[in-house]
Amino acid sequence: MSREETARARGLRTDYCGELRSKDVGRTVSVCGWVARRREHGEHLAFVDLRDHTGIVQCVVDGGHDLRAEHVVRVTGELRLRPEGTVNDAIPTGEVEVGASEVEILSVAEPPPFSVDGRVEAEEPVRLRYRYVDLRSERMQHNLRVRAEVNAAIRRSMDRQGFVEVETPLLWTPTPEGAREFAIPSRLQPGSFYVLPQSPQIAKQLLMVSGFDRYYQIARCMRDEDLRADRQFEFTQLDLEASFVSQEDVWEMVSDSVLEVARAVTGEEPPPVVTMTWNEALDRFGTDKPDLRFGMELVALEEAVAGTEFKAFQAEAVRAICLEGGAELGRGRLDALTDRARKLGAAGLVWLRVVGGEGQLDLESPVAKFLSTKEKAAVIEATGAGAGDLVLVVAGERAPTCRVLGQLRLDLGQPPVSERPYRFCWVTEFPLFEGVDEEGNPVAAHHPFTMPHPEDLGRLEADPLSVRSQSYDLVLNGWELGSGSIRIHRADIQRRIFALLGISEEEAESRFGFLLGAFRYGAPPHGGFAYGVDRLAAIMAGEESIREVIAFPKTQSGADLMAGSPRSLPASQLQELGLRLAPPKEAKGA
RNA sequence: GGACCUGUGGUGCAGCUCGGAGUGCACGCCGGCCUGUCAAGCCGGAGGUCGCGGGUUCAAAUCCCGUCAGGUCCGCCA
């Protein structure tokens, strides 16, 4: 049986509400759903809009029926064309109506706490408390169905590429690094704990050692960190790993899946995924998650102002962005921008209004007098600015300077994340380490199993902070979707990394013993990736928060307003788990 | 741990700056009228701990302090 046949209406109904058309006129149909609205005209006539997951159809019923909002009813009757002049062009079923001969109330409903039609949107706490009502809305029905389509597209792509889906444990073992973990007490071994996995990282590497070659999983992950619009305690990622591959191979595999997703959801061919190095992303966009949907790229002005008298521009990096039409910004707005730049860590912000006409542009600014005519011309030339534009310049060390301008660029120009087009981007060659810890040891930027860039292996010990890694992020419209790397499969390189990180052999053994153990029995070269399905689905659904694509999400304080979690456990249950609660903290100032 | 925003009948808002009776709007709800509506219409009605606690004041939704909840962000998220 085809999917279409099996998905057809059956049971109590012959058709779905939203699918009835003029071609069905004359048939006796039965439709089931919720009362979306009723329009009563006395005891002999009432119009009832019946809603199911496919849409709404108008039923014409006797006025005597007590059909209130959200009652669940079954209506049977002949489908007919609406009388001339009463067609409703606003809905797909607007040409027809069900002339009800039988109305069956399957379930009565109290008036809902807020209206399902979305005309006025209730605040999030109310929606979350009555999530089962909220999920009836067109918006949430659409969002969760988009998400299901995302999952299906991912599976199609993975399947096509020969990946095998393997489930890994939810009750895992503590790994004392990375995100804070959720702990699960053991009943059979009181005093011992499982943890919920922050990702199936180690498990999937073990599957490579086991010879599965290409693994994937649409995996639930849990991290006990603070929540955000794009972060929940539990989230879903496409997790994959492949053996005997280069990073380019991984990029292709992952790109195939996200492009399949974009294609499936939009029905259009998405722009190809572009690739740039971490360094390039920093120079051009001032961030490691560039939003490629708009210009305003950072411009290097070091050459233009080389040898300048202006002290503020005598710096390692002098960078600028150009705001089209920004010259009309008033003094107050410019001062606010300067404040913003300072808060972001810049020493200051120089603004230059581009004035004048064709061929004789000039710069207008409180600091213009410190710049020579030649320098001003060079700045205009380098930024490509025209009359009426505003040039914003920050000078200082390269990385912080770029980051400040990158943020200003977003403040001034970024569209909502879900706005099309969808511009996927690989950011590659991340540094292997980011800074040093209190003891002076480098800190792993990704995780300690990340393979260094082969060209940089030689200076691993001499100049670790300059070493690039074979790790990479996937970015969509300024959101980090996920990250991955080629892993270290050779014991000698792993030993050098652990030594640099200040992890002793004993410590490594106790932390990652079973992974290192597995590597002694024949580990293939391998690498992989993971990206957030919630984030991808949110963008595809046109939402700014992943809560809108999660059926039952938690609030920022980690509460489920509907289910009432978290809450206390009865003493008997604690005792069974071998747990005793610490006394509550003293009240502040008491 | 920190910053900012929000909290007013069931829902969404206005009122808060400049204190003066729970004052208003829209939707919903309840009752009545109504045979072609589609955000139906008309008439009538009910519904409030102004999140909570304290303070200032003759008087607090309004000003001050604290607190709780929700949101955005920083920290955090190898």
Side-chain angles (χ1 to χ4, degrees):
Chain A
M1 243 189 300
S2 75
R3 177 168 187 276
E4 214 155 89
E5 272 173 65
T6 56
R8 232 179 42 210
R10 59 168 81 184
L12 292 176
R13 50 199 169 178
T14 60
D15 293 87
Y16 293 124
C17 298
E19 294 178 346
L20 291 168
R21 295 292 184 274
S22 54
K23 68 175 166 51
D24 302 302
V25 163
R27 281 175 43 219
T28 297
V29 298
S30 288
V31 286
C32 295
W34 287 260
V35 174
R37 238 187 311 271
R38 74 207 139 104
R39 295 172 291 280
E40 287 186 86
H41 289 257
E43 57 181 317
H44 298 297
L45 177 68
F47 300 99
V48 171
D49 289 342
L50 197 63
R51 181 192 70 236
D52 66 16
H53 63 285
T54 62
I56 279 177
V57 69
Q58 169 167 291
C59 307
V60 184
V61 307
D62 189 272
H65 295 286
D66 191 22
L67 295 177
R68 314 237 163 178
E70 302 306 317
H71 276 20
V72 181
V73 301
R74 175 177 189 235
V75 176
T76 302
E78 191 186 325
L79 193 78
R80 61 197 189 203
L81 285 173
R82 293 192 186 189
E84 216 174 319
T86 64
V87 166
N88 184 352
D89 294 325
I91 56 173
T93 60
E95 274 188 283
V96 297
E97 63 188 13
V98 179
S101 52
E102 195 186 339
V103 175
E104 200 179 336
I105 298 181
L106 303 173
S107 175
V108 298
E110 292 177 23
F114 53 91
S115 125
V116 176
D117 62 19
R119 210 151 44 86
V120 283
E121 188 176 305
E123 285 196 354
E124 216 178 336
V126 189
R127 294 175 55 206
L128 291 181
R129 176 151 174 225
Y130 301 95
R131 191 61 155 177
Y132 38 82
V133 174
D134 185 42
L135 293 179
R136 284 180 198 161
S137 68
E138 199 181 341
R139 173 190 190 177
M140 294 307 296
Q141 288 278 319
H142 171 256
N143 287 357
L144 293 190
R145 285 165 200 278
V146 164
R147 184 178 179 134
E149 186 52 56
V150 168
N151 277 346
I154 288 173
R155 288 212 157 86
R156 273 198 303 278
S157 166
M158 289 295 102
D159 194 43
R160 191 166 60 213
Q161 298 185 76
F163 281 81
V164 54
E165 183 172 5
V166 181
E167 290 168 275
T168 55
L170 284 181
L171 298 176
W172 192 240
T173 190
T175 48
E177 214 171 322
R180 192 179 300 112
E181 294 161 325
F182 282 97
I184 307 294
S186 160
R187 175 180 59 86
L188 295 178
Q189 298 184 37
S192 291
F193 294 83
Y194 304 93
V195 302
L196 301 176
Q198 7 169 335
S199 85
Q201 180 61 38
I202 292 178
K204 69 176 172 179
Q205 292 192 242
L206 294 174
L207 289 171
M208 293 302 99
V209 177
S210 304
F212 279 93
D213 197 67
R214 291 181 182 186
Y215 141 92
Y216 87 100
Q217 181 179 193
I218 295 180
R220 202 67 82 81
C221 307
M222 291 82 173
R223 293 180 189 172
D224 189 1
E225 300 288 355
D226 286 2
L227 294 78
R228 289 278 197 285
D230 62 352
R231 275 159 40 189
Q232 286 267 304
F233 283 153
E234 40 187 316
F235 59 99
T236 305
Q237 62 183 36
L238 167 66
D239 190 56
L240 64 81
E241 196 79 8
S243 294
F244 308 106
V245 293
S246 68
Q247 40 181 4
E248 288 80 2
D249 295 319
V250 177
W251 302 342
E252 268 179 47
M253 291 162 167
V254 175
S255 296
D256 184 90
S257 77
V258 293
L259 293 177
E260 176 77 20
V261 165
R263 211 176 282 129
V265 174
T266 67
E268 295 164 13
E269 189 60 29
V273 188
V274 305
T275 302
M276 73 179 70
T277 66
W278 180 85
N279 262 310
E280 186 184 349
L282 183 65
D283 280 325
R284 289 176 57 192
F285 301 98
T287 176
D288 55 12
K289 38 185 181 181
D291 187 338
L292 305 182
R293 289 173 300 167
F294 66 110
M296 285 182 71
E297 291 192 23
L298 278 57
V299 178
L301 293 182
E302 290 86 357
E303 268 183 48
V305 299
T308 183
E309 301 283 303
F310 186 31
K311 286 231 168 56
F313 283 0
Q314 295 166 3
E316 174 191 313
V318 184
R319 303 290 163 92
I321 54 174
C322 175
L323 178 63
E324 227 171 278
E328 62 192 35
L329 292 191
R331 198 55 191 260
R333 189 85 174 75
L334 293 168
D335 288 345
L337 276 176
T338 307
D339 276 354
R340 172 78 173 143
R342 289 216 177 90
K343 282 208 183 80
L344 291 167
L349 176 73
V350 167
W351 54 264
L352 307 153
R353 289 195 182 111
V354 185
V355 295
E358 201 61 29
Q360 18 178 298
L361 295 172
D362 196 13
L363 294 175
E364 196 179 272
S365 165
V367 305
K369 56 179 178 276
F370 301 118
L371 296 172
S372 70
T373 310
K374 200 178 142 200
E375 284 163 358
K376 286 194 275 192
V379 166
I380 292 169
E381 162 84 28
T383 56
D389 294 349
L390 181 74
V391 175
L392 300 171
V393 189
V394 175
E397 286 177 52
R398 173 179 165 252
T401 294
C402 291
R403 289 207 178 90
V404 169
L405 282 168
Q407 187 58 54
L408 291 180
R409 171 178 177 268
L410 296 178
D411 291 350
L412 293 169
Q414 189 176 35
V417 62
S418 58
E419 202 169 294
R420 292 196 213 175
Y422 300 138
R423 297 293 303 273
F424 291 99
C425 170
W426 285 107
V427 178
T428 69
E429 295 184 11
F430 271 71
L432 188 59
F433 304 106
E434 50 178 13
V436 294
D437 63 18
E438 310 84 54
E439 289 154 34
N441 295 316
V443 180
H446 188 49
H447 59 61
F449 314 113
T450 303
M451 185 71 97
H453 196 291
E455 289 168 15
D456 299 353
L457 262 179
R459 53 176 199 276
L460 197 51
E461 284 77 12
D463 187 10
L465 293 183
S466 77
V467 173
R468 293 166 297 168
S469 67
Q470 296 191 59
S471 70
Y472 32 84
D473 279 6
L474 180 64
V475 176
L476 172 56
N477 294 3
W479 269 18
E480 180 191 326
L481 282 189
S483 58
S485 64
I486 299 298
R487 330 293 182 187
I488 298 170
H489 67 281
R490 272 169 47 188
D492 58 326
I493 298 177
Q494 189 66 68
R495 265 197 300 274
R496 287 167 68 189
I497 297 288
F498 280 151
L500 275 165
L501 293 172
I503 300 174
S504 69
E505 267 179 57
E506 300 75 47
E507 202 182 343
E509 194 57 39
S510 81
R511 282 194 194 181
F512 315 112
F514 61 107
L515 178 65
L516 301 178
F519 279 12
R520 285 197 282 272
Y521 294 97
H526 62 285
F529 199 76
Y531 64 78
V533 171
D534 312 84
R535 289 184 183 178
L536 182 56
I539 295 172
M540 292 293 147
E543 297 286 359
E544 308 290 306
S545 162
I546 64 170
R547 292 190 298 275
E548 302 298 346
V549 293
I550 295 172
F552 303 106
K554 292 182 177 52
T555 67
Q556 200 159 46
S557 64
D560 182 327
L561 298 180
M562 181 187 66
S565 66
R567 63 172 83 186
S568 57
L569 286 179
S572 58
Q573 204 170 347
L574 291 177
Q575 195 176 3
E576 192 172 43
L577 295 168
L579 297 178
R580 203 168 57 220
L581 296 180
K585 276 184 208 159
E586 291 292 319
K588 249 189 278 180

